[in-house]
Amino acid sequence: MRAFNVVKFKIKAGHETAFLDAHRDGKARWPGLAHGAIIKTGDLAYCLIGEWSNAEALAAARPAMIETLNTFRATLDEVTDAVSGAVVLDIA
């Protein structure tokens, strides 16, 4: 069963490009990730949404995701609401 993870980020002023660049050019191509997107949710606020083939693939990729996070941690004011779970209902 597919799974998703969602992570909210608050970026330090002047560091938005570095934050986005840390995810470009395959830097966030974690094993098992089917699709990912970063959306801008407010001033200096972003949300990463990842779709995974299943919860096991998501769990297996956590070390790689943390490794990526460590490359841009200095750009962040905070990381909040990191959540994940299996799909229980497709709406569309």
Side-chain angles (χ1 to χ4, degrees):
M1 181 173 290
R2 288 176 313 151
F4 283 82
N5 72 311
V6 179
V7 184
K8 290 170 45 177
F9 299 95
K10 183 77 171 178
I11 310 303
K12 292 178 183 174
H15 290 85
E16 291 177 279
T17 299
F19 166 74
L20 294 172
D21 286 349
H23 296 88
R24 286 191 170 104
D25 303 322
K27 295 175 190 149
R29 199 169 286 136
W30 304 300
L33 179 67
H35 181 76
I38 295 176
I39 60 173
K40 186 168 180 142
T41 59
D43 187 37
L44 302 175
Y46 291 85
C47 185
L48 182 147
I49 302 167
E51 180 180 1
W52 303 82
S53 56
N54 55 52
E56 292 79 16
L58 169 58
R62 283 193 181 113
M65 288 188 281
I66 292 168
E67 187 176 314
T68 302
L69 172 63
N70 288 337
T71 69
F72 65 88
R73 196 178 293 274
T75 69
L76 304 176
D77 266 341
E78 62 182 286
V79 178
T80 60
D81 295 336
V83 296
S84 63
V87 174
V88 296
L89 176 68
D90 280 314
I91 297 173

